[in-house]
Amino acid sequence: MTGMKCKEFVELVTAFLDGALDPATEARFVEHIAACEGCDHYLDQIRQTVQELGELPPDSLSPEAQDRLLTAFRTWQR
């Protein structure tokens, strides 16, 4: 099983919470959580945010806003 880097973890959080990861990727994801306190904390923050805000309709952001957010998360540094 190949290890997972934090950047890949962050990109997969939503799919994990949606139950959309394939079994092998989910296993790597869970393995990473067990070993990385920072990502474990990040996942907890995302869970809390979803719980507080609920679910946003998929088309609630303009394509430009979606691009800006995705770029921000992809370039996020630990």
Side-chain angles (χ1 to χ4, degrees):
M1 200 177 304
T2 305
M4 180 175 288
K5 302 225 183 273
C6 296
K7 182 178 179 180
E8 181 182 7
F9 177 91
V10 169
E11 292 173 355
L12 295 174
V13 166
T14 302
F16 174 76
L17 293 175
D18 288 342
L21 295 178
D22 63 82
T25 303
E26 183 172 346
R28 290 176 48 238
F29 188 94
V30 171
E31 182 180 285
H32 185 84
I33 294 169
C36 182
E37 185 177 327
C39 285
D40 183 43
H41 182 68
Y42 177 78
L43 179 60
D44 286 342
Q45 288 178 325
I46 297 299
R47 282 184 171 140
Q48 288 176 352
T49 300
V50 169
Q51 183 178 10
E52 292 294 321
L53 297 177
E55 188 173 310
L56 297 175
D59 295 332
S60 65
L61 291 176
S62 70
E64 296 80 18
Q66 289 178 9
D67 288 342
R68 287 194 310 270
L69 282 172
L70 289 172
T71 297
F73 281 112
R74 286 183 183 127
T75 60
W76 173 71
Q77 300 279 326
R78 248 183 106 153

